[in-house]
Amino acid sequence: MKALLLRDIRLAVRAGGGFGLGLAFFLIVVVLVPFGVGPDSGLLARIAPGILWLGALLSCLLSLDRIFALDWEDGSLDLLATAPLPMEALVSIKSLAHWLTTGVPLVLASPLFALLLSLPSQGYAPLLMSLALGTPALSVIGTFGAALTVGLKRGGLLLSLLVLPLYVPTLIFGAEVARRGAMGLDFTVPLAMLAGITFGAIALLPFASAAVLRVNLR
């Protein structure tokens, strides 16, 4: 499992689907928003939680089609399917590698991007907490979508259409945690809901993704 994780991280970085692409897209979203809504710092502060979460979500979406695509193209996925490692463990490692190369850099860079959007200082900790707790759910759900579309030509658009509706609850509660934190309000309820979504996805979706992969590999 450790060797597979390190291999996936190296492939993600070399193929251009790692942290560099996600961070660049996240930065573009944050920089373009003031041009669209104006330089009013008060307005930017109000919409900053939603914009930051939306940027993180779209950045995670960019590299989802690479989770299984490279292994499918070179035949490695067939070999991994016949290895002693259970398919559920394989899917979990793929999700973890995607989160380490995409989600973690976004979480670490979010305070700098929040500064560009004039997010109040009290909102930084809730933003970090929500992204750290919510981005694993994005990777796990995205892995499920990638398993559904593996082997399809030009499946990237279909993958986005399948995954985006499943991302909506995570986006709602994640942005609500950051918004309430920025306003100095209690955010324990949306944080608990976000944690429930993440832990539920981690507990259930690897089995669903493994079942879908078995069907697609037959």
Side-chain angles (χ1 to χ4, degrees), residues 31-146:
V31 170
L32 290 181
V33 166
F35 289 103
V37 302
D40 184 4
S41 59
L43 176 60
L44 291 176
R46 288 194 300 272
I47 66 174
I51 295 300
L52 290 168
W53 249 97
L54 185 60
L57 185 151
L58 295 176
S59 299
C60 288
L61 191 65
L62 287 177
S63 56
L64 291 182
D65 59 340
R66 296 178 180 269
I67 294 178
F68 294 111
L70 297 177
D71 292 330
W72 173 270
E73 292 171 358
D74 62 12
S76 300
L77 191 58
D78 293 319
L79 296 176
L80 291 172
T82 58
L85 187 67
M87 188 69 76
E88 291 79 8
L90 166 66
V91 171
S92 300
I93 290 298
K94 292 283 186 180
S95 301
L96 178 60
H98 180 269
W99 181 66
L100 290 175
T101 56
T102 304
V104 172
L106 295 177
V107 174
L108 297 178
S110 60
L112 175 60
F113 296 151
L115 180 64
L116 297 176
L117 292 178
S118 304
L119 184 72
S121 58
Q122 67 267 24
Y124 280 50
L127 174 67
L128 282 171
M129 292 172 60
S130 65
L131 286 174
L133 191 57
T135 49
L138 300 181
S139 295
V140 174
I141 296 171
T143 303
F144 173 67

Side-chain angles (χ1 to χ4, degrees), residues 172-188:
I172 291 173
F173 290 111
E176 184 66 11
V177 170
R179 185 189 69 82
R180 291 192 181 189
M183 297 176 63
L185 303 175
D186 179 64
F187 54 85
T188 55

